[in-house]
């Protein structure tokens, strides 16, 4: 009985959704009052949907209604450029005569009165609801089966500020905002080229989120651009609230700890990626822009690397790779050597480590996992707590817990030092999502080192390299240009060569226009 009731309820709900969908696609009626009642009923008589009924013409022969959403529509622009123009500028006998003879006056109104930019014809209720709830003003007329959508969107938004997650010493101090139009303007401000193309679409059956892709025509590969289009068009979901939704739905590989799509909040980074032939994906409502395809090396390249001299940038980038190695295997190597390969340590150091571990009741792996877990809890707590006390709690908690653990004999001093160095090395990555990936991979390698020593670590490294080589990002190998090895692309991988030597773009990403600049000799100092 309950099952039948549930089935009947589902059937009624499906039929209701079908009716609602058909109603939304229904053409607009010529009866203005019917349109008003239908819009009010469909939107639940929401009090933020404002209705203004007016009469146009010298004697007011044409009855009209204006809908707009309070908080999303610029009321001042609506009053100055739309309502005032309709009520004052269109008071002439010619318009009244056209209305009396039954002629189409909408084109006259569109050309003479609606001088504000972004006027679109509205033919059905689906278009009406979409434009209205996006912030546009809707203008409907008595006796006409179509209306106008007037682009007067205006809402409160965060101004362009300094990046919060990708800070640098030298370089631009502007970041994206939650407005997609502001973000596209920030990119166009840096790339003033007619080949910078923008394509827009709406994704999300309920949220109807604006999503745009940007690429430089003639530099970006047509195959990559087509693949981005196909993956975005295949998305069928009720809502998109952040670019992370898009990233998860279009990525090549789901079950991998490594990010296969790059995200950033810096316009200069997106501009540089576009110049290399990548495609940018912008989502309304988030300050993070996605770029694809992504490579493993890209997550170690900071924006500041290209604003300093090549030798300084190369040293800093090599330091990041060394920190990646320390963060990944620092604790594992300590456990493997002290547990299985004590002969690798000098005698004095071995005696010191053994003396520290004499009072510790746990094996090294349990000791390391306990300290790692405590560190991750403190890290997560410092992020979620109020900013005024988060840093203080993190620093004090780490010091107090580390000191108390050593004094209580739960952990050795050497283990606390190793865990601390490993944690600090994890903060050096320019991309925060890569540091999360390293933290996830660290635990399996830790278990292999505790089980089989250095042999287990080598097995873990082989599995990690094989996994990296198997990944693809929109058809591009994730480990390019190291595997497959491309000699010309080594100018900007582990080290960065001087600017005058970086003449070509990455071969596997941009296959059309691969030349950045013309070959030129090295600059010579003047005497």
């Amino acid at each position: 009985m309950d099952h039948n009731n549930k089935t009947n309820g589902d059937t009624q709900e499906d039929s209701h959704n079908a009716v609602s969908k058909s109603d939304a696609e229904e053409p607009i009626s010529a009866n203005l009052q019917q349109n008003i009642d239908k819009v009010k009923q469909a939107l639940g008589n929401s009090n933020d949907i404002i209705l203004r009924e007016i009469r146009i013409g010298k004697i007011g022969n044409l009855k009209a209604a204006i809908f707009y959403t309070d908080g999303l529509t610029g009321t001042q622009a609506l009053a100055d450029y739309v309502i005032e123009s309709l009520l004052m500028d269109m008071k002439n006998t010619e318009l009244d005569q056209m209305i009396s003879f039954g002629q189409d006056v909408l084109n006259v109104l569109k050309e003479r009165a609606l001088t504000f930019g972004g006027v679109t014809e509205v033919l059905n209720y689906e278009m009406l609801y979409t434009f209205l709830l996006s912030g546009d003003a809707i203008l409907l007329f008595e006796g006409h089966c179509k209306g106008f959508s007037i682009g007067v969107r205006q809402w409160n938004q965060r101004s362009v500020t300094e990046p919060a997650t990708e800070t640098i010493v030298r370089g631009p101090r502007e970041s994206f905002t939650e407005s997609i139009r502001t973000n596209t303007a920030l990119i166009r401000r840096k790339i003033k080229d007619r080949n910078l193309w923008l394509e827009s679409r709406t994704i999300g059956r309920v949220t109807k989120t604006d999503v745009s892709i940007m690429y430089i025509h003639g530099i970006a590969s047509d195959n990559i651009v087509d693949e981005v289009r196909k993956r975005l068009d295949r998305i069928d979901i009720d809502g998109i609230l952040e670019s992370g939704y898009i990233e998860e739905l279009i990525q090549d590989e789901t079950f991998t700890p490594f990010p296969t799509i790059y995200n950033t909040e810096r316009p200069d980074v997106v501009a540089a990626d576009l110049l290399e032939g990548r495609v940018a994906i912008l989502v309304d409502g988030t300050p993070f822009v996605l770029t694809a395809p992504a490579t493993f090396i890209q997550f170690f390249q900071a924006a500041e690397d290209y604003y300093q001299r090549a030798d300084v940038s190369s040293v800093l980038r090599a330091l990041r790779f060394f920190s990646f190695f320390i963060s990944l295997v620092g604790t594992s190597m300590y456990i493997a050597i002290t547990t299985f390969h004590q002969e690798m340590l000098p005698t004095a150091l071995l005696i010191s480590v053994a003396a520290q571990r004499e009072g510790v009741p746990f094996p090294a792996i349990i000791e390391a996992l306990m300290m790692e877990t405590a560190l991750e809890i403190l890290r997560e707590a410092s992020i979620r707590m109020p900013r005024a006390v988060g840093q203080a709690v993190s620093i004090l908690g780490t010091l107090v817990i580390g000191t108390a653990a050593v004094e209580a004999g739960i952990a050795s001093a050497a283990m606390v030092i190793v865990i601390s160095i490993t944690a600090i090395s994890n903060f050096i990555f320019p991309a925060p999502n890569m540091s999360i990936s390293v933290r996830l991979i660290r635990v399996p390698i830790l278990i292999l080192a505790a089980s089989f020593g250095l042999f287990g670590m080598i097995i873990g490294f082989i599995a990690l390299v094989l996994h990296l080589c198997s990944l693809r990002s929109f058809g591009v190998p994730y480990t390019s240009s190291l595997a497959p090895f491309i000699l010309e692309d080594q100018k900007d991988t582990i080290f960065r060569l001087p600017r005058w030597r970086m003449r070509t773009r990455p071969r596997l990403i941009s296959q059309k226009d691969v030349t950045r600049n013309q070959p030129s000799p090295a600059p010579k100092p003047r005497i």
Side-chain angles (χ1 to χ4, degrees):
M1 186 67 179
D2 294 339
H3 174 72
N4 293 334
N5 291 337
K6 182 178 181 181
T7 304
N8 294 333
D10 293 342
T11 305
Q12 293 175 1
E13 183 179 355
D14 294 340
S15 62
H16 174 72
N17 293 337
V19 172
S20 300
K21 184 176 181 181
S22 62
D23 289 345
E25 296 176 354
E26 179 185 351
I28 292 177
S29 173
N31 189 322
L32 181 60
Q33 188 59 44
Q34 181 180 346
N35 292 330
I36 293 175
D37 295 339
K38 195 174 186 65
V39 171
K40 286 184 176 180
Q41 181 181 3
L43 299 177
N45 291 315
S46 302
N47 57 9
D48 62 337
I49 305 299
I50 310 300
L51 169 65
R52 172 76 185 275
E53 297 186 47
I54 60 175
R55 290 185 175 271
I56 305 174
K58 186 174 183 179
I59 59 177
N61 282 355
L62 182 59
K63 187 177 180 181
I66 299 177
F67 288 95
Y68 66 92
T69 305
D70 189 18
L72 297 180
T73 304
T75 55
Q76 189 65 39
L78 179 63
D80 294 342
Y81 299 104
V82 179
I83 298 179
E84 182 179 352
S85 180
L86 291 173
L87 295 179
M88 304 300 296
D89 298 342
M90 298 308 297
K91 282 189 174 182
N92 55 75
T93 308
E94 179 184 355
L95 181 63
D96 291 327
Q97 291 177 352
M98 294 178 63
I99 298 174
S100 301
F101 286 108
Q103 300 180 14
D104 185 11
V105 298
L106 298 191
N107 289 332
V108 177
L109 293 174
K110 184 177 180 181
E111 294 175 359
R112 299 185 183 181
L114 303 178
T115 57
F116 198 82
V119 178
T120 307
E121 291 187 358
V122 178
L123 304 178
N124 54 51
Y125 290 107
E126 178 66 24
M127 296 177 63
L128 188 151
Y129 300 143
T130 301
F131 285 120
L132 176 61
L133 298 177
S134 297
D136 293 339
I138 303 298
L139 181 60
L140 301 178
F141 305 93
E142 178 70 44
H144 296 273
C145 297
K146 66 178 182 179
F148 291 126
S149 168
I150 308 168
V152 286
R153 303 179 185 181
Q154 181 181 348
W155 52 79
N156 295 327
Q157 64 183 27
R158 184 171 60 91
S159 60
V160 178
T161 58
E162 187 174 350
T165 60
E166 300 175 71
T167 57
I168 60 175
V169 177
R170 179 178 180 179
R173 301 302 177 90
E174 57 186 8
S175 64
F176 290 119
T177 68
E178 286 74 15
S179 172
I180 190 172
R181 191 54 60 227
T182 301
N183 297 341
T184 57
L186 289 173
I187 297 175
R188 286 198 179 276
R189 181 184 174 187
K190 295 185 178 298
I191 303 179
K192 306 177 184 67
D193 188 84
R194 61 184 178 88
N195 290 319
L196 179 60
W197 289 5
L198 174 68
E199 299 179 8
S200 300
R201 50 187 35 81
T202 302
I203 301 178
R205 296 188 301 269
V206 178
T207 60
K208 293 180 173 56
T209 306
D210 294 328
V211 178
S212 300
I213 63 173
M214 294 188 76
Y215 61 94
I216 301 179
H217 178 68
I219 295 180
S221 173
D222 294 336
N223 295 331
I224 295 177
V225 176
D226 291 339
E227 185 65 24
V228 172
R229 292 196 193 104
K230 292 178 182 178
R231 297 189 186 187
L232 289 177
D233 293 337
R234 284 200 302 261
I235 297 177
D236 185 11
I237 193 173
D238 58 349
I240 299 292
L241 300 179
E242 213 274 337
S243 58
Y245 286 48
I246 300 291
E247 180 179 357
E248 190 171 358
L249 291 170
I250 68 174
Q251 62 185 354
D252 290 67
E253 186 67 34
T254 302
F255 300 103
T256 177
F258 294 100
T260 55
I261 298 178
Y262 191 80
N263 69 84
T264 179
E265 60 175 345
R266 298 187 58 88
D268 56 333
V269 173
V270 174
D273 288 344
L274 292 174
L275 291 172
E276 286 189 346
R278 292 182 170 89
V279 180
I281 304 173
L282 300 93
V283 181
D284 191 27
T286 175
F288 289 93
V289 174
L290 307 177
T291 59
T295 59
F296 181 71
I297 298 296
Q298 184 181 2
F299 293 90
F300 294 87
Q301 298 172 345
E304 198 173 9
D305 292 349
Y306 304 94
Y307 305 143
Q308 296 181 351
R309 299 199 325 262
D311 51 353
V312 176
S313 301
S314 299
V315 171
L316 294 178
R317 190 175 296 179
L319 180 62
R320 294 190 200 110
F321 281 100
F322 179 73
S323 299
F324 169 77
F325 179 79
I326 294 297
S327 178
L328 188 63
V329 301
T331 308
S332 303
M333 186 170 294
Y334 171 79
I335 292 177
I337 293 176
T338 56
T339 305
F340 292 93
H341 311 282
Q342 295 91 346
E343 67 277 2
M344 296 180 63
L345 296 176
T347 304
L349 180 59
L350 180 60
I351 294 174
S352 175
V353 172
Q356 294 178 23
R357 288 196 46 81
E358 184 177 359
V360 178
F362 305 107
I365 178 63
I366 302 299
E367 181 185 359
L369 290 177
M370 289 173 55
M371 297 300 297
E372 287 278 1
T373 304
L375 182 63
E376 293 299 328
I377 292 174
L378 285 171
R379 191 204 309 260
E380 189 68 16
S382 63
I383 295 175
R384 307 304 168 195
M385 291 185 67
R387 187 171 299 178
V389 298
Q391 294 181 353
V393 170
S394 177
I395 296 173
L396 291 176
T398 304
L399 293 175
V400 170
I401 290 178
T403 304
V406 173
E407 293 180 354
I410 298 177
S412 62
M415 179 63 74
V416 173
I417 294 174
V418 171
I419 294 292
S420 301
I421 295 176
T422 303
I424 293 173
S425 300
N426 200 42
F427 289 108
I428 202 172
F429 303 113
N433 47 358
M434 180 56 70
S435 64
I436 298 175
S437 302
V438 173
R439 286 154 56 186
L440 294 175
I441 302 171
R442 191 189 308 165
V443 176
I445 296 181
L446 193 66
I447 296 174
L448 288 173
S451 303
F452 306 102
L454 293 179
F455 177 75
M457 291 180 58
I458 294 174
I459 297 297
F461 268 118
I462 293 175
L464 181 61
V465 171
L466 291 177
H467 177 70
L468 286 172
C469 292
S470 68
L471 296 178
R472 295 289 186 276
S473 178
F474 289 84
V476 176
Y478 192 61
T479 54
S480 62
S481 55
L482 297 177
F485 183 81
I486 301 175
L487 182 61
E488 286 190 30
D489 290 350
Q490 302 307 308
K491 59 186 176 297
D492 191 21
T493 52
I494 299 178
F495 302 100
R496 184 179 81 81
L497 296 183
R499 182 72 59 181
W500 51 270
R501 290 289 301 274
M502 300 172 61
R503 296 192 296 266
T504 58
R505 298 183 176 90
R507 288 300 180 96
L508 294 181
I509 297 177
S510 177
Q511 302 175 358
K512 300 175 69 175
D513 184 7
V514 298
T515 304
R516 291 180 185 268
N517 51 38
Q518 297 299 324
S520 59
K524 297 180 180 180
R526 296 182 179 180
I527 300 177

